[in-house]
Every structure is written in C-alpha cells, then in structure tokens.
Amino acid sequence: MSGEILVSERVYKTYAHIVDMLESPPEGYHFKVERGQRVIDFVEKFCHPSKGAAARKPLKLMLWQKALLQAVYSFVDDDGNRLITEVFLTVARKNGKSAIASALSLYHLTKDGENGPEVYCYAGKKDQAKIVWNESVKMIKKSPALNKRLQCRVNTIRCDGNDGDYRPLASDSGTLDGLNCSFAVSDECHQYNAQNGMYEIVHDSMSARDNPLMFIVTTAGFIREGFWDKKLKDC
C-alpha cells in the first residue's frame, strides 16, 4: 500500500479492499488474527513439500501466502463462521499453488472443526484432480503426526477421528450425486469451458454446510471466454 513493493492494479485494489475491511469490518463480522494464524501454524508445522531442496523441511509460506490465509480465515462472525466462502487465486507456474492447496485440504480434513468433513479436489479429468490429492498423500507420509491420524487409500484419505473423507473428483468420475462438500479445491480451472458443470455441482453441494470454502487455484491458460474469464468477471 505504501508503494515500496510493485504490484499490479488488480492486486493493489484487492489489498485496498482488505484494508477497508480491517478498518471497518462488514456488519456482524470481526477480524480475529488468531484464526488465520492457526491455519498458517498448521501448514508450517505439519506439511512438507514433496519436491526440491525444501522437501525434507516443513513448508515455509511466503508473505503473500500468509496474507492470503489471514484475509480468508480471520474475518469471522460470533459463531466462528467465515465471511469468505470462495477464493479465486490465479498465480504463475512454480509459485507453490499445488502445495498450499494440498496443505489447506489437510487442514480442512482434520482441524477446521467440521463434523464429517468432505474434502474434494476436482478438475476436468481425474489425472489433473489427483495432482493436488497426491501431493497431500506425500505430505501425510512425511509427517508422523498426520500419518498417525490419516489413512491413505487408493482414492480416499480417511480421517476416522471426525469421520472425514478427502477424494479427487472429475467430470469423468461417473456419478457426482450425493456430495456434501465442506472444502473443495478447483485445480486449473482455465481448462474448463464456460459451460463446465463441475463448479456448479460442487458449489451447490456446499449449501448444507455452515462454514464451507471453495478454493479455486489456477494458472491463466489460453482458453478465452471460458470458465476462467467468466469467474474473473464475477470477481
């Protein structure tokens, strides 16, 4: 906001909006910094990236990632329900989007306080949907605490402590009926066409949840007038 760090106009406007909310929170909501810090602490304590020189070390969040998590998780009402229910994050490749999406999926599976959480990573094809899910599996295997609590199966990560499940999901997965999603990662939505129904199916399945969150994370891609352009206009 001071101009010391160069950002795009869109990023500047987003931060200006967050500052306005900090100074005058929406009616019925409060900014509780400890709520966002709890997510940051979970990610940095229990989640290890699977590749590169940092693979043997806990995930170290960058400043923009911490700011994102504080903005998303710290605005809550008196019952602890979040103001933010959907995130649209577009980042360039090799900026750790899969790692943070995987870590947040594990947080929502184990620590978000939801009874019987249903966590999904969805994409147009199953192979794409399993990229973030597989990263979560690798994080579990690197963490004794998570490995003790979670069971990794062929297409499901199971948390018996709260009857939670975490699955990859795609439009070619067969039936998509019966979802009751509490947290979802939409991976690489720039590949969707404008009529892609996965988003609507998963979004509608969250209606019975008190505190759901949709986390859309993607690179920009090349398909014009598709889902990415439509979602950007919505934002």
Side-chain angles (χ1 to χ4, degrees):
M1 299 301 294
S2 68
E4 293 180 21
I5 298 175
L6 184 63
V7 296
S8 70
E9 182 181 12
R10 184 176 294 138
V11 170
Y12 182 87
K13 287 182 177 180
T14 300
Y15 272 80
H17 177 59
I18 294 170
V19 170
D20 287 342
M21 290 199 301
L22 283 169
E23 295 175 349
S24 301
E27 185 176 357
Y29 289 90
H30 320 278
F31 183 82
K32 295 187 176 181
V33 67
E34 64 273 14
R35 293 295 298 269
Q37 191 61 45
R38 184 169 67 184
V39 182
I40 292 169
D41 290 344
F42 175 90
V43 172
E44 294 196 325
K45 182 176 182 179
F46 297 112
C47 301
H48 295 65
S50 65
K51 300 179 180 68
R56 296 184 180 275
K57 302 176 183 178
L59 185 61
K60 184 66 175 176
L61 293 174
M62 291 176 275
L63 180 60
W64 72 265
Q65 293 171 321
K66 292 182 178 181
L68 170 70
L69 297 183
Q70 285 288 3
V72 172
Y73 287 91
S74 290
F75 288 100
V76 294
D77 63 16
D78 291 337
D79 295 324
N81 295 322
R82 288 180 290 270
L83 170 68
I84 304 300
T85 60
E86 183 168 308
V87 177
F88 179 61
L89 174 63
T90 299
V91 292
R93 297 183 186 279
K94 306 303 180 184
N95 273 280
K97 69 178 182 63
S98 294
I100 192 170
S102 301
L104 291 179
S105 297
L106 294 176
Y107 173 82
H108 281 266
L109 180 62
T110 59
K111 288 291 187 181
D112 196 44
E114 192 76 37
N115 293 318
E118 288 187 20
V119 176
Y120 297 98
C121 176
Y122 70 93
K125 294 185 178 180
K126 194 70 169 284
D127 289 346
Q128 181 67 47
K130 291 197 79 170
I131 291 176
V132 169
W133 188 87
N134 283 332
E135 182 73 11
S136 296
V137 171
K138 293 174 184 177
M139 286 182 174
I140 292 168
K141 292 180 178 179
K142 290 177 180 292
S143 169
L146 293 177
N147 201 31
K148 183 178 179 180
R149 187 171 183 181
L150 301 174
Q151 302 173 35
C152 298
R153 302 173 183 173
V154 175
N155 283 308
T156 305
I157 299 172
R158 176 73 180 168
C159 181
D160 288 333
N162 60 9
D163 291 324
D165 286 293
Y166 170 23
R167 299 186 180 99
L169 193 66
S171 54
D172 58 0
S173 298
T175 180
L176 299 175
D177 296 332
L179 303 183
N180 188 11
C181 182
S182 55
F183 177 76
V185 172
S186 170
D187 191 25
E188 298 294 16
C189 73
H190 68 85
Q191 297 174 353
Y192 303 170
N193 60 41
Q195 287 76 42
N196 184 280
M198 285 291 296
Y199 169 84
E200 285 77 12
I201 292 170
V202 176
H203 184 272
D204 290 348
S205 77
M206 293 178 161
S207 60
R209 297 285 185 172
D210 293 329
N211 205 18
L213 181 62
M214 176 79 76
F215 194 79
I216 303 170
V217 57
T218 182
T219 50
F222 300 98
I223 298 175
R224 302 321 312 257
E225 302 306 321
F227 180 87
W228 189 93
D229 282 347
K230 178 180 181 299
K231 181 54 63 176
L232 185 64
K233 291 177 183 177
D234 290 345
C235 291

